[in-house]
Amino acid sequence: MTTRTPSSVALGATSWCELDLNALQHNFDLFASLVGGPSGLLPVIKANAYGHGLEAVASVLVARGVEQVGVNELAEGLWLRERYPELDIIVLGQARHPDIETLVSAKLQLVAVREDALRLASAAAVAHGTIARVHLKLETGAHRQGLSSEALLPLARLLRDLPCVEFEGLSTHFADIEDTTDPSFARQQLARFKEGVAALAAEGIRPRRLHAANTAATLNMPETRFDLARVGIGLYGLWPSQETLISAMSAAMSAGAQGGVSELR
C-alpha cells in the first residue's frame, strides 16, 4: 500500500513522492524485534518524519502499537498531542525557555541540560497541576548538546528535589558510530555513559529509562540499546553508512513521474 504526497496530487504535478506504508510497517517491526517489542523502540519522526510525511508515518506507527515517539521541535509535539492524547512524545531538541510552559502543559517530555530550564519546568508543572517529565542528556563525545560528567550529579539532585518533576530518562548521543567500523570511540562513549548512570545510582537516583542507541548503534552494538533505542533513518529503510547496510530494511519512499518511477536512496 502506498500513499502519494497530498500537495503533489492537489496541484496536478507531473512528479511526486510515494510512501510505501508496508515498507514502513516492515521496518518498524524489524527494529521492534531487535529491542524486544514496541515498548523498547523510540521512533524519531522529526523534520516531517524525515520528509516522509508526519501524518502518514505517525498513523502507521500508532497502528503498530508504538508507545512513544521522538521529535525535535515544539510544533511537531503539539501537532501530535492534539491527535494522539495518550502517546508519549519526547521533544529531543533543547527546550527554549519561552516554550517550556507550553511543553509541560501539553504533557510533552523535554530534555534539559541547565538548572534554569529545570526550574521553569517545575514552576510550570506546579501552575498547571501536572508533572514535568524530564530527560537529562549526558555529553560523552558528540559535543553538540549535553551535560558534562561534573554537571550531571548536581542537576540530577536538583531534579530529584524540585516539586512536580520526574526524572524520565537519561540519554547520550554517539558521535561517529555511523561512519566507521572501528568501535573504539563509541565504546569510550558507552563507558562514560555507564559511569554517569553508576554515579547517579550511588546516590539513589535512577531515571525511569536509559537511551543511547541511534539507528547504527541499534544495529551494530546491542549493548547500547538499554531501555529505548532511538531509531531515525533506519525506520524509513535508509542506512547511516555502508557499514550498517542490511538487506532486511525496505526503502519507504519512491519518486514518481510521468514516464517512470525510481527508488530514492
Side-chain angles (χ1 to χ4, degrees), residues 67-129:
E67 297 181 11
Q68 57 273 315
V69 296
V71 296
N72 192 66
E73 304 289 345
L74 170 62
E76 298 168 324
L78 293 176
W79 188 93
L80 288 164
R81 173 58 69 231
E82 182 179 347
R83 291 155 179 81
Y84 303 104
E86 304 303 319
L87 186 64
D88 277 353
I89 303 165
I90 307 173
V91 179
L92 297 167
Q94 187 169 338
R96 296 174 60 252
H97 287 181
D99 295 339
I100 288 177
E101 183 171 6
T102 303
L103 281 161
V104 172
S105 63
K107 294 182 169 55
L108 302 174
Q109 299 177 34
L110 65 141
V111 175
V113 296
R114 291 174 46 173
E115 177 181 335
D116 48 4
L118 270 185
R119 292 190 182 277
L120 286 170
S122 174
V126 171
H128 289 274

Side-chain angles (χ1 to χ4, degrees), residues 19 24 44-58 61 71 76 232 235-236 253:
L19 176 64
L24 185 65
V44 179
I45 54 176
K46 64 183 180 180
N48 196 28
Y50 288 72
H52 290 70
L54 182 59
E55 182 174 4
V57 170
L61 296 179
V71 296
E76 298 168 324
L235 183 66
Y236 311 100
M253 184 179 282

